[in-house]
Each structure stands twice: as C-alpha cells, then as structure tokens.
Amino acid sequence: MNYHNATPDEVFKKLTTQKNGLAHEEARKRLEEYGANELEGKSGKSIGRLILNQFLDVMILILLAAAVVSVLVGEATDAIVILVIVVLNAIIGFVQEYRAEKAIEALRSMSAPEALVRRDGTEKKVEAIDLVPGDVVLLEAGNLVPADLRLYEAASLKIEEAALTGESEAVTKKTEAIADEDPPLGDRFNMAYKGTLVKDGRAEGIVVATGMKTEMGRIAQMLDESDSETPLQKRLATFGKQLSLGVVVICALLYGVGLLRGEDPLRMLLTAISLAVAAIPEALPAVVTIALALGAKRMVKQNALIRQLPAVETLGSVTYVCSDKTGTITQNQMTVQEFWQPEEVALPEATELTKEQLLLLCMALNHDVKKDEEGTYLGDPTEIALVEYVRQQESYQEDWATQYPRADEVPFDSTRKRMTTIHEFGDRYLVITKGASEAMDDVSVQEAGPILNRAEQLAHQGMRVISYSYKILDSLPKDHNPDTAESDLDFVGMVAMIDPPREAVQDAIAECFDAGITPVMITGDHPATAKAIATRVGILRKESDKVITGKELANLSPEQFEQEVESIKVYARVSPEQKLNIVTALQKRHQFVAMTGDGVNDAPALKKANIGIAMGITGTDVTKEASHMILLDDNFATILKAVREGRRIYDNIRKFIKYTLTSNAGEIWTIFLAPVLGLPIPLLPIHILWVNLVTDGLPGLALAAEPVEKNTMKRPPHNPRAGIFDRALTVHIGWVGVLIGVICLGTQYLAMELDNPKWRTMVFTVLSLSQLGHALAIRSGTVSLFRQGLGSNWQLTLAVAFTIALQLAVIYVPFLQDLFHTKALAWQEMGICLAVSSIIFWAVEIEKWIKRSRAVI
Ligand code: ADP
Ligand code: MG
C-alpha cells in the first residue's frame, strides 16, 4: 500500500496506531525494531586518518627519508633521535586534533533537533532520532519535518521541499488521499518529508518512515553540512604556503652556502631539511581549529552553542548586536496586568454571555497552548499568559473547549500580527481574532479612536497589548484567505501583559557600549512598548537615538535607510522580512552584524548576518538550521559572554602565531647568518628539531589557555578586514626574530673567541631559553608580566618550567649528552646563557612599557 493513496484511517490501521499516538512502551519497542531516525552520513575523521595526517606532511616525509639515508651512511644515533622527535611531534599533534574533533562532535550532537509527538494521548517533546513509524507528530511553522509523515490534519500548512525536490516555492498540503499511484514527490500533497521546512500553518501526521527509509535517506543526500574552513584558517593556509616557499628557498640557499664552506654534504642536507621542518608553520591551521573548537566547548558552558566553527573567530569582530526584544532582552515570562473593555460591546444574539464572559471565552478558545503530562504549559508564552489568566477567573467554564470545538483556523504569523480560530457555535460559527491593536483597526467595524488610545497608554508602560474581536457566521468560509476570516469583526476587548527585562541585560548593554558594540532592539511589538523597554535597559540613551516602525521603514528607499541606519536603535512593529533589510543596510555601512531570531521568517536574515544567532528555547528548527550560534538560554547577556570569549580566542591565536613565527624567525636568522658571517653553523639538525618540538609544543599550546585580558571588553572590536597579520604583528616578529639571531650568534662568536669548546651547547641553550622568555613576555600585548603574575596562566608557567627541565636534562644527563652531542655547562656558563637569553624577555617588556606610556598620553 502506498501511504499517499490511502486514507488517514487506513494508515492508522496499517501502522497500528491512532490519533492519541502510540503507547510509550510500544514506541520503545518499535525504536529497537526500526532503529534510530537518523541519516547515516559522513562521520568525523577516523582515528587512523588523524594519525596518518600527522606524517603526511611533505617536509616530514623528506626528513624521514633523510634520516633513513643517514642510517645507511652510518649515523644511526642521529637518525633515531630524529625519528623519536618526529614521533613525539606527531603524538602531540594527534592528541590535540583528537580533542578538537571530539569537541566538534559534541557540539554537533547538542544541536540535534527535537519533535513534538503525541504518545498515550499527551503531547511531548522528544529527540527527533527517537521517532518510530506509527508515532503521531505535530507540526507548526518553523519546524523541520522530523520524519516522513502522512498528514491527517493540516491548517494552512505550507512546506518548503527544496532540500528534496529542488523546488523553492512552498507547497500547500492537504489531507485527502491521492488517486494517482505514483505521482512525483512534489505532488504528494498529503505527505510531509523528513528534512523539509514548515513555512506556515499547523498540522498533525503519522510517521510512516524513519531514518534511511525516508525519501531523504533514500536519495542519501545529506542536509547541507559542508564543514567550511574559517576565514582565518584560509588566510593562514595561504600564508603558510607562501611562507613555506620562502623557507624552502632559504634552506636551499643555506645548503649551497654550507657546501661552499666545505661542510659535510649529508649533514648539511639534514641541517637544511631540519630547519625547513622547524620553520615551516605547518601546524598553524590545525592549531587554529583546535583553539576554535576548544573555545566553542567553553562557550557551551556559558550557554552559547556554536554551530559553525568560524563563528568563534568572527564573534570578536562584531560591531552591531541586533536583538529581538521578547524573550531575549525580556524574560518571556508574561503576566496579564490589564483586562479592558469599552462601555459598549456588541454581544452575539441568543446567548447569555456577558461582555466579560465573551472576552474570556475568546481568550479561552483562541490559542494553541497544550498541557504536557506534568501539567506544564507548552506553547507561545504570550498565549500561555492569556490561558493562565482565563483559567483563574470565576466565570471561566472548563467545558467551553468541548462546547465550542474548533472548526478551522488561520494561524498566527508575525507579518499579520494576529491569528484567527473558528468554532462551532450552536448551528452557526464563532470567528475569533486576536492580535495587535492597530492590526485590529483594519478589521474592526467600530470606532477605533478610544480603543487605540487605550492601547497606546498601556504600551507606554512597556506592556504588550492583545486585542480580541469576533463575528458570527452561518457557514464556514470556503477560501483559506485570512482577509475573509478577519474582516467585519466586532471588538470585544483587550488584554495587556508585562514581560520584565532580564536581570543581566542592563549590564550586558552597558558592556556593549564599552566594547564598541552598538545594541539594537527589534520587535513586533508596539513602538511605545518597545521604547519603554529600550529606555529601561539602556539601549536608548541619547536624543538622537531613533525609534522607527516597520511601516516607516517600508517607506524609506534603500539609500535613505542606509543613510539613517546607524542612528536607529529600536525597530518596532517590523515584520521578520524587514530584518534582512536591516542587516543589509548595516553591512553596506561596513558594520559587522550579529542578529538574533526565533521565527521561521527570521532565517534569511540570520543567514545573511555575520553572526546569525538562534534562540535555543523559543527558536524554531528552521532558524537554528540557518544560524551560526544558538543561545541555549535565549539570554541577551549570553551574546556578550560569547563575544568576550571570541575576542579572547582571537587574541590567543594571535599570541600563538606571534610566538611561533618569532621563534622560527630567530632559528632561521641564527642558522642562516652564521655561514654568511663566516661562522660554522652553530646547531646540529637534532638541536633544531628539539627546539622546535619543546618550545613550540607545550608553551605554544599553553598560550591558548591565556585567560581573558582585563581590557578585552573595553576596546573596540578588531577590524575584520585588517586580518590577523597587521603591521604591529609583523614588526614584532621582525625585530624580536632578529634579536634572537643576534644574541645566539653573539654567544657563539664570543665563546669561540674565548676558545670555549662548549660554544655549541651554549648557543643551543640560549636559543631555547630565549624563546621561553618570549612566551612569558607576550602573554599580554601591553600589561607587564609582573602585574599579571605567573599564576594567572599556570599552564604556561608549568610548560615553561617543564621545558627548562627538559633542556637541563639534555645538557646534564650523560646518556642524553651522547644523543644530543652536548656538554655539561659549568654554572658560570649556565649563568651567562640565562642572562643572555633573558634579553629577549626584557626587550619585549620594554616594548610593552613603551606602548603603555604612549597609551596614557
Ligand atoms: P516580538 O518581536 O516581540 O516577538 P511578535 O512578532 O511575536 O513580536 O508579535 C508582534 C505582535 O503580534 C505583538 O505585539 C502582539 O500584538 C501580536 N501577537 C503576538 N503573539 C500573538 C499571538 N499568539 N496571537 C495573536 N497575536 C499575537
Ligand atoms: Mg514573538
């Protein structure tokens, strides 16, 4: 049997289920039988792949080849040490990448979608992967269809099936059986398919297929899950390639010069290759991924769930945060404060309802709130507030819902700003519309003046106002046109509710201003309501801060809007579609925009924004799919926490790059300049590899643990167009690199002049220790280490101490002396090495001191 050919009753029978859904026990059994409702896609990188990756670097391969050659010509110990170092390097790389991979996987599973099912007669949210054939699923606008469904109830249901059929126009769904045996997917209007998007309306359906059995599974086309590289990674990859080329050229030159000076060709080859391995920052992109992934993991703890890794990096560049009011800036905990009706209300004929009862009846019937098993309400907080209020009133009657069953409806949408339900009313029909008061103005036949005045008054106090109107019809309207249902209505009354601002929001908004970020409020609410709340939380601060309505916005040309956009702080009564215009205009002004959203129509704006932020609690699947980041607690303050973390990570990546590239530059200068100045090459290949391993390894990674700097949220966002390699960074790498070369060669020259046979060990020590001093000094761009203290990044302190211990071991442990061709230094010699290497530390501290004193002036 084809499900689309069958009637709903036949499908219920076939799958042994009913409108009340499966029993919990039965659902559990079926889950075992049918398996999880998920598409089997590409999983993350396998462990084997990760390990192999560590060795697949061209330079590493060449190095290994060279090591083999040196074994063949009899230098076995050197070759073994090289091998050990390469393996250690690979282990560090693997562990890091594995952790990053795990972190990304965890993030992915956290953003898995849920579905609303009915089981044992009650509605319940379950994870979409737990759905089984026979489950009854409820759909509403904004849902991602969680499995293949045969629909048996559909109210203005529109589904966009582009993911499946390529057709971007939403399809209107119905419930009748289809006669055609095998219509194309796009014409199966009584089915809803996994992975498609509910654009509009409401529906119920029976799950007929899950997981790989669904149409989506059949064509095995994964939802767009391209794991894109971050802009920073791309830039670093390009940069890395250019740098590698430079390094290879230098090493080739070095090789030539060495040969001319009569060095041993094989050793010279190993030296050149080791230098290339050490100086090519092949790990940079990987380190960036690791820093971003681990950063994302930390952000989850603060309720910011990253869906796309680049977001971690771009968060630091945000200049505008455009936030919804309801639920993000406010608590979304609404309570009814006012129940207002005009003197005269036209009552329906032949009923005993009083005017108060009529309004209560409207409130009791016109909503989609449901109660779950524990008795908590599920649904829109606005409607929950209304329902809670009604049920506390004395004249409310429990049996209203059964006495006046719902016959039809026009669901709420935030462009119309109202919703309508139609109920059986004796042998006639009662049409109830609720929504924004001005929206009622178009439809109400009564004199609107006093009503609007009252609505305005309430809105000025920061309240959300909902108006109710009704009419009686003899028959159900045939067309599903909202205009027919929502015209010629009689006004019944209005209800106003407060939704207090969230606690931490005021501070978060103050933090925005400190950090050079402009907060903007966007809402569907009345401008007076919006203005009252925006003033209370500090978004509106100056005379010149503008409040604009959706209507006014629609009347502006794109050019005019662009001119004004930076002075507008509050948008009221906007439709979600206009959010896209706001993002576009701000981006034209070169702003870097974070935009929040929850409804299905917010998705395009979220995609377009530099950071699209979906609400975790109230957000729809569609918005979450389109977002870069999800706010698990829907809280505005969380955005700021994420920005702070983003800035920290960006800074730390920058510190890591600063550190590694400076170290590499120092090594290159030392090795390359020696023969040019007529000195023998001071370091053996294993020394070079060792320095690269121990200094870049632990201390480099520990820099990523650097806590957020005190002034991080007191300075403007970094310009995303400037890139990470700004002039300051290049200059720093330049001069410190040269200085490292100078002190190493100076040590070599003096030691050789004094005929000290340990000159090689001394240069080795100076190079290694000076890099550690550098790591400590660049923890902050401006603050002195003496202020920061060694405890504030104990990981780095530990890494430095450990690395020093390793270095001492290599110099003083006899066995290692043999391997590394080192000699024990006397304490005076060690003292000199320490003093000389600390030059780098002091020099960078002086650089920071100069920066500080300049900043004061
Ligand atoms: P916000 O951006 O604050 O979330 P919405 O788009 O949800 O605004 O709502 C805009 C207006 O629509 C509200 O001010 C209210 O008048 C009306 N409204 C909101 N929710 C409903 C609802 N469930 N039914 C009818 N009208 C509603
Ligand atoms: Mg809303």
Side-chain angles (χ1 to χ4, degrees), residues 440-515:
M440 290 296 166
D441 184 30
D442 309 336
V443 298
S444 219
V445 289
Q446 291 189 337
E447 220 206 313
I451 298 172
L452 287 181
N453 280 345
R454 185 66 193 145
E456 180 105 14
Q457 270 173 15
L458 293 167
H460 268 293
Q461 300 165 32
M463 291 203 235
R464 163 173 279 208
V465 185
I466 302 272
S467 290
Y468 285 87
S469 343
Y470 84 103
K471 68 179 167 188
I472 304 285
L473 291 179
D474 288 329
S475 60
L476 276 183
K478 289 266 152 19
D479 57 340
H480 265 276
N481 190 344
D483 293 341
T484 334
E486 294 169 353
S487 58
D488 290 332
L489 298 161
D490 279 324
F491 184 79
V492 184
M494 66 177 109
V495 179
M497 47 199 125
I498 51 159
D499 179 16
R502 284 172 177 277
E503 255 166 42
V505 161
Q506 216 163 338
D507 292 341
I509 283 172
E511 195 177 1
C512 275
F513 287 108
D514 281 345

Side-chain angles (χ1 to χ4, degrees), residues 155-156 201-202 362 365-368 383 406-413 416-423 429-436 439-440 443 467-471 473 476-477 479-487 489:
S156 330
R202 216 181 49 80
C362 291
L365 295 179
N366 179 300
H367 65 84
D368 287 318
E383 294 195 338
R406 189 184 290 192
D408 205 352
E409 67 200 273
V410 189
F412 174 73
D413 91 50
R416 271 171 37 251
K417 298 191 177 31
R418 48 181 190 248
M419 83 179 252
T420 297
T421 54
I422 306 181
H423 304 265
Y429 292 94
L430 169 65
V431 180
I432 307 171
T433 300
K434 80 168 186 304
M440 290 296 166
V443 298
S467 290
Y468 285 87
S469 343
Y470 84 103
K471 68 179 167 188
L473 291 179
L476 276 183
D479 57 340
H480 265 276
N481 190 344
D483 293 341
T484 334
E486 294 169 353
S487 58
L489 298 161

Side-chain angles (χ1 to χ4, degrees), residues 469-717:
S469 343
Y470 84 103
K471 68 179 167 188
I472 304 285
L473 291 179
D474 288 329
S475 60
L476 276 183
K478 289 266 152 19
D479 57 340
H480 265 276
N481 190 344
D483 293 341
T484 334
E486 294 169 353
S487 58
D488 290 332
L489 298 161
D490 279 324
F491 184 79
V492 184
M494 66 177 109
V495 179
M497 47 199 125
I498 51 159
D499 179 16
R502 284 172 177 277
E503 255 166 42
V505 161
Q506 216 163 338
D507 292 341
I509 283 172
E511 195 177 1
C512 275
F513 287 108
D514 281 345
I517 299 170
T518 311
V520 168
M521 178 196 276
I522 302 179
T523 177
D525 253 339
H526 194 283
T529 313
K531 201 169 169 181
I533 302 279
T535 312
R536 209 173 300 165
V537 297
I539 289 179
L540 285 173
R541 308 205 297 180
K542 298 189 300 246
E543 277 299 305
S544 55
D545 292 344
K546 284 193 198 136
V547 179
I548 188 174
T549 65
K551 239 187 219 143
E552 290 162 352
L553 175 54
N555 287 333
L556 292 178
S557 71
E559 293 74 28
Q560 282 170 321
F561 180 41
E562 216 180 288
Q563 284 298 314
E564 294 212 16
V565 67
E566 281 163 315
S567 58
I568 303 172
K569 300 295 158 64
V570 174
Y571 297 84
R573 285 285 190 243
V574 285
S575 63
E577 290 79 9
Q578 292 180 311
K579 283 184 164 184
L580 188 61
N581 302 349
I582 300 173
V583 175
T584 312
L586 282 171
Q587 286 178 338
K588 281 248 176 72
R589 305 292 303 174
H590 302 297
Q591 300 294 351
F592 214 72
V593 187
M595 166 77 78
T596 72
D598 50 9
V600 53
N601 299 328
D602 291 338
L606 258 52
K607 257 192 201 144
K608 175 96 208 262
N610 301 86
I611 302 278
I613 305 172
M615 295 301 128
I617 304 170
T618 58
T620 57
D621 302 338
V622 175
T623 348
K624 287 179 187 168
E625 280 293 312
S627 70
H628 305 96
M629 178 173 117
I630 299 176
L631 290 188
L632 296 177
D633 58 358
D634 287 13
N635 191 342
F636 180 86
T638 302
I639 303 176
L640 267 283
K641 287 188 196 153
V643 167
R644 189 187 310 129
E645 186 66 17
R647 287 189 179 187
R648 182 186 79 93
I649 292 166
Y650 189 88
D651 284 352
N652 288 355
I653 290 176
R654 220 175 110 100
K655 285 170 197 168
F656 179 86
I657 293 175
K658 200 176 190 179
Y659 175 65
T660 325
L661 293 189
T662 309
S663 301
N664 293 353
E667 288 153 26
I668 290 186
W669 284 122
T670 307
I671 310 274
F672 187 72
L673 284 187
V676 174
L677 296 176
L679 293 168
I681 291 181
L683 297 170
L684 299 175
I686 40 176
H687 296 157
I688 301 172
L689 293 172
W690 171 259
V691 169
N692 186 50
L693 171 73
V694 297
T695 54
D696 278 11
L698 290 178
L701 288 171
L703 272 177
E706 186 63 33
V708 67
E709 287 191 49
K710 284 215 175 63
N711 66 350
T712 299
M713 292 302 273
K714 298 252 185 291
R715 46 166 216 238

Side-chain angles (χ1 to χ4, degrees), residues 205-279:
I206 313 152
V207 174
V208 297
T210 58
M212 292 307 282
K213 298 258 162 46
T214 59
E215 291 300 329
M216 193 63 96
R218 206 168 294 175
I219 56 174
Q221 178 192 323
M222 290 295 296
L223 286 174
D224 184 32
E225 229 187 82
S226 49
D227 43 355
S228 49
E229 278 197 331
T230 81
L232 186 56
Q233 280 171 312
K234 277 189 215 139
R235 233 178 290 137
L236 283 178
T238 332
F239 170 78
K241 278 197 197 106
Q242 293 161 352
L243 196 67
S244 309
L245 205 67
V247 170
V248 169
V249 170
I250 291 175
C251 292
L253 269 176
L254 176 72
Y255 185 63
V257 174
L259 284 189
L260 288 181
R261 275 187 46 89
E263 303 258 0
D264 173 54
L266 183 62
R267 164 167 300 175
M268 205 50 230
L269 184 66
L270 271 178
T271 308
I273 296 172
S274 302
L275 185 61
V277 168

